[in-house]
Amino acid sequence: MKRYFYSILLALVASFQLVAQDEVISLYEGKAPGSEDWNWQEAQMYSDLFKTEVVYNVAEPKLLVFRPNNPNGTSIIIAPGGGFQTLSINREGIDLAKELASKGITAFVLKYRLIHSKTNDPAQELIDNLQDRDAHYKRTSALQKMAGNDCKTAINYVREHASEFSIDTQKVGVIGFSAGATVILESVLHQTSAENLPNFAASLYGGPTEELLNAELPSTQLPLFIAAASDDQLGLAPKSIQLYNKWLAGNYPVELHVYANGGHGFGMGTQNLPVDTWYLRFEDWLKQYKHLK
């Protein structure tokens, strides 16, 4: 009897996992434009350094789909961070997607293109590369545009398949963490058409380039949510304030939360600090704009 109960429990767990991530969608047919000669294979590992799962060597951009049981029409594309070398796939991706789906929002985790890791320890390689941050940013500048195009392509895909996901084409949002914040801001500030401009956006402890900070505001008064921590180890909190001031100067709707403690990369982690509940503030913000009941 116990063995039978255990088998049923395992089946339920497996079923829940299948429901949690409904499907994986390739964003391009064939090779992604601009990286046709990339031939490395995507991989995933647990990083002892980052204390979380990381994805690396992404050459074929994808969307991981998390459907709610009762979709409310809102969808959000999530871009994890990782210095354009890794993706913090759980803490800055899947964990938030599950939270949003539990509230009725259709969530998509974006696996955007990354630079090629030359070792089997991409997290340590990233830390080493960041010793000369200017050189790393220069090395990844072209990649940032590619990743931004991946985000725009994802927005187009979600809108084109809105009926399949039971979502509203005018309730498509984006949220990015760290490097992922740069990715989503490419879709907001370097828009190429109305079809790939999101309806709302959120930037978590991002470090937008001066080019992005000096770019023109989007053609519509797009609402922006920003959160960061004062003790960010990369010193990026001022960038969030600059982004806030940019929106404020244009009289665009914007909300900023700067926590005293939390560091860089807090994501959906637990530190027993006020920053742990940032996502509840984000959900409060979504309610203001009728994206969440």
Side-chain angles (χ1 to χ4, degrees):
M1 185 68 179
K2 287 184 178 179
R3 182 177 297 176
Y4 175 76
F5 176 77
Y6 185 64
S7 298
I8 293 295
L9 183 61
L10 284 178
L12 287 173
V13 170
S15 174
F16 175 79
Q17 289 174 337
L18 287 172
V19 171
Q21 180 182 306
D22 296 272
E23 56 192 297
V24 179
I25 296 167
S26 294
L27 283 177
Y28 302 96
E29 292 185 11
K31 296 284 188 177
S35 56
E36 291 86 353
D37 59 340
W38 291 12
N39 57 9
W40 43 87
Q41 296 298 312
E42 178 183 315
Q44 182 169 331
M45 63 174 289
Y46 180 83
S47 168
D48 289 324
L49 185 62
F50 290 167
K51 305 300 181 188
T52 189
E53 290 283 322
V54 296
V55 168
Y56 61 105
N57 286 346
V58 177
E60 299 179 6
K62 300 179 180 71
L63 284 176
L64 310 182
V65 185
F66 294 79
R67 295 176 183 254
N69 291 327
N70 297 299
N72 67 6
T74 300
S75 62
I76 298 180
I77 296 166
I78 306 166
F84 294 102
Q85 183 143 17
T86 67
L87 297 177
S88 181
I89 196 66
N90 288 345
R91 192 162 57 208
E92 298 176 354
I94 291 172
D95 292 347
L96 177 61
K98 290 179 177 178
E99 164 65 20
L100 295 174
S102 74
K103 300 296 176 65
I105 294 174
T106 305
F108 302 84
V109 177
L110 174 63
K111 286 186 174 181
Y112 53 87
R113 281 172 280 183
L114 302 172
I115 62 172
H116 184 213
S117 292
K118 299 177 182 178
T119 71
N120 291 324
D121 191 350
Q124 184 59 58
E125 194 172 335
L126 172 61
I127 294 300
D128 294 341
N129 284 338
L130 288 175
Q131 298 306 305
D132 188 341
R133 201 181 301 182
D134 290 340
H136 181 67
Y137 287 164
K138 185 176 181 179
R139 186 184 305 113
T140 61
S141 60
L143 186 281
Q144 292 181 31
K145 301 296 182 184
M146 291 183 187
N149 288 336
D150 295 342
C151 186
K152 295 173 188 178
T153 302
I155 295 168
N156 280 339
Y157 182 91
V158 169
R159 286 209 172 105
E160 287 172 0
H161 296 80
S163 60
E164 298 172 26
F165 296 112
S166 300
I167 59 177
D168 187 333
T169 58
Q170 299 307 304
K171 290 188 175 185
V172 179
V174 290
I175 181 171
F177 298 80
S178 192
T182 295
V183 173
I184 64 100
L185 287 171
E186 282 284 337
S187 74
V188 172
L189 294 169
H190 286 162
Q191 65 183 104
T192 54
S193 70
E195 286 73 24
N196 57 41
L197 179 68
N199 300 107
F200 59 93
S203 171
L204 275 291
Y205 43 87
T209 62
E210 289 302 313
E211 181 186 7
L212 281 171
L213 288 171
N214 292 325
E216 291 186 10
L217 286 165
S219 53
T220 60
Q221 288 197 321
L222 186 150
L224 179 65
F225 177 93
I226 307 169
S230 295
D231 62 348
D232 187 307
Q233 296 93 328
L234 298 182
L236 295 181
K239 291 279 191 177
S240 289
I241 296 170
Q242 284 179 270
L243 189 61
Y244 169 80
N245 286 335
K246 179 181 181 68
W247 248 249
L248 195 64
N251 199 31
Y252 279 30
V254 61
E255 182 166 314
L256 171 66
H257 296 263
V258 180
Y259 293 87
N261 302 106
H264 188 82
F266 50 80
M268 296 292 284
T270 300
Q271 303 182 66
N272 297 315
L273 293 170
V275 74
D276 293 352
T277 59
W278 71 268
Y279 67 92
L280 296 179
R281 307 291 76 75
F282 177 55
E283 291 174 2
D284 288 340
W285 180 80
L286 289 171
K287 291 173 186 175
Q288 293 183 68
Y289 297 97
K290 311 302 181 185
H291 296 309
L292 185 63
K293 293 182 180 178

